[in-house]
Amino acid sequence: MITFFGALLFLVLGYALYSKFIEKVFGVDDNTPTPAYTKRDNLDFMPMSWWKGNLIQLLNIAGLGPIYGAVAGALYGPVAFIWIVVGCIFAGGVHDYFSGMMSLRHGGAQFPTIVGKYLGKHMKLFINGISLVLMLLVAAAFTAGPAQLISQISPLSFMAALALIFFYFILATILPINRIIGRIYPLLGGILLFMAVSVAVALVFSGKPMPNLTLANLHPGELPIWPLLMVTISCGAISGFHCTQSPIIACTMKKETDGRKIFYGAMVIEGIIALIWAAAGMTFFNGTTGLQAALAAGGPSGVVNEISISLLGSMGGILAILGVIILPITTGDTALRSSRMIVTDILSKFTDMEGKWKVLLVTIPLAIPTFYLSTIDYTFLWRYVGWTNQVVATVMLWTATVFLLRSYKFHWISGVPASFMTGVVSTYIFYAPEGLNMDYQISMIIGSCITLVVLLWYAVQIIKYRSLKASDSEYAA
């Protein structure tokens, strides 16, 4: 129990202290008008209060990610607590803050546009493709599960439930952000928080001993911690999907100082939710062996349902159903909305079409492949979400690093986690079954070599911008 409360304290301190340092390095200015005012269109660009922005951002980035991912990551034992805390404070919080604030500074620009500005047009082209693939996979993966549950507890068939969800998706994507998302998301964000806090309180008073810190790998299947844990627990630590969602809220911010509360704050809340569910998974089933058996029997949804009902009774059952149905849908709809905004940004260079027709014509072609993907195996989709998600996160951290280098600011705050995540994704792609499925030791060697090449590039960039800074100082003198 000491480990759990210690980790919780570190997350709170991370927000109270480190987020302020990140904000200071970035340099906020409330005198600068935000895109919510300068580009107001009453569709995507319009001012909203910071607390609404925080709760909407939380729903956008969370869904069931910090629940399902944390439960699966709990198989590794209490070492998962370390990754959630360190990843959230030093990687995920930085990632989310910069993705939102850089979008704000560039007029509400979408993630691929920001990447192109700092990492070049070739990387922009690559990230355009992989971001769209990631969001369509997320929207599809987070639709299939709720549709299956709806078909089980109602007269609707799976396809009818799927069609109903996608009708909502299209409405949420094409309507102004304050019509649906701005009205119901703060309430749903409150439900997500209430569910997590209720589970935490019930767990503490359940009498079951919470595991204390150990660096040992307790995974019953003896899967390696590196790099699998860092991909298994993404939501709650660092997730590339977040940087595709942050521009949605950047377009609604009233002032720059709200960014710390919205972006870094939502990431820390998500980290706390992940911490609670990781602890619940380890504790409720009396260790990782029991948890593995529960996951094999009922999957993540079965584990969440059993924990919720056992700890919270009938209220827990209602919350579990709400969570498994509503929370993934609230991530799927904004994934589709973000896809629409990215494609609209791309097409703006080739067409002058404006208004609702443009929004609708972009949305429908995106919804069709997503609908199809929703009909295939959920576990197949989720395997590919994992590595594409962390590749996107790594690219965002390197984008923030170049931004700080160009600004002659303390680039290590993003450069260090970017280097770490480069090692994670470089190794994972070669080792994982959905990657090249190579031998672990060979994957480690190749991943290390790729990481070394990227670090050499980083060193060259540091030297380059130090020289430019020195030249600028001499010129100013």
Side-chain angles (χ1 to χ4, degrees), residues 1-13 81-82 84-85 89 272 275:
M1 192 172 292
I2 293 176
T3 300
F4 172 75
F5 282 107
L8 187 62
L9 177 62
F10 275 116
L11 284 172
V12 173
L13 289 176
F81 293 159
I82 299 176
I84 291 171
V85 172
I89 294 173
I272 292 172
L275 185 72

Side-chain angles (χ1 to χ4, degrees), residues 184-412:
I184 67 172
Y185 271 38
L187 173 62
L188 298 177
I191 291 175
L192 176 62
L193 287 173
F194 178 75
M195 182 180 181
V197 172
S198 299
V199 168
V201 173
L203 198 65
V204 169
F205 290 99
S206 68
K208 291 179 176 290
M210 288 188 181
N212 284 318
L213 183 61
T214 174
L215 298 180
N217 181 2
L218 301 182
H219 198 294
E222 298 183 352
L223 295 178
I225 291 175
W226 175 274
L228 298 186
L229 177 61
M230 292 78 192
V231 178
T232 304
I233 301 181
S234 53
C235 291
I238 177 171
S239 168
F241 180 70
H242 297 189
C243 67
T244 67
Q245 301 302 291
S246 295
I248 295 176
I249 305 304
C251 296
T252 69
M253 287 172 57
K254 292 183 175 181
K255 56 184 180 179
E256 291 195 352
T257 49
D258 287 343
R260 185 176 71 91
K261 293 176 283 190
I262 292 173
F263 301 116
Y264 203 107
M267 182 66 241
V268 169
I269 294 173
E270 189 186 54
I272 292 172
I273 293 170
L275 185 72
I276 290 170
W277 280 100
M282 291 179 226
T283 304
F284 185 82
F285 297 100
N286 302 311
T288 58
T289 302
L291 175 58
Q292 185 185 48
L295 285 169
S301 60
V303 167
V304 171
N305 189 57
E306 185 175 349
I307 291 173
S308 300
I309 293 175
S310 298
L311 292 179
L312 304 176
S314 58
M315 182 185 72
I318 294 172
L319 289 174
I321 291 174
L322 284 174
V324 173
I325 293 177
I326 295 176
L327 296 180
I329 292 175
T330 60
T331 298
D333 62 1
T334 50
L336 198 60
R337 187 182 186 97
S338 183
S339 301
R340 187 263 295 168
M341 294 171 73
I342 289 176
V343 173
T344 301
D345 189 44
I346 295 171
L347 294 178
S348 64
K349 298 178 180 179
F350 307 101
T351 176
D352 294 327
M353 185 186 297
E354 298 291 344
K356 296 180 180 179
W357 282 109
K358 181 177 182 178
V359 173
L360 191 61
L361 288 174
V362 170
T363 300
I364 292 176
L366 291 170
I368 291 173
T370 308
F371 185 89
Y372 168 73
L373 288 171
S374 300
T375 64
I376 67 178
D377 182 37
Y378 170 86
T379 56
F380 174 81
L381 293 175
W382 198 247
R383 283 167 54 185
Y384 290 92
V385 168
W387 74 263
T388 54
N389 185 45
Q390 298 304 60
V391 167
V392 169
T394 305
V395 172
M396 179 61 235
L397 285 171
W398 283 121
T399 303
T401 302
V402 174
F403 164 78
L404 291 171
L405 280 167
R406 288 189 184 182
S407 306
Y408 306 139
K409 294 181 177 180
F410 192 71
H411 55 87
W412 300 108

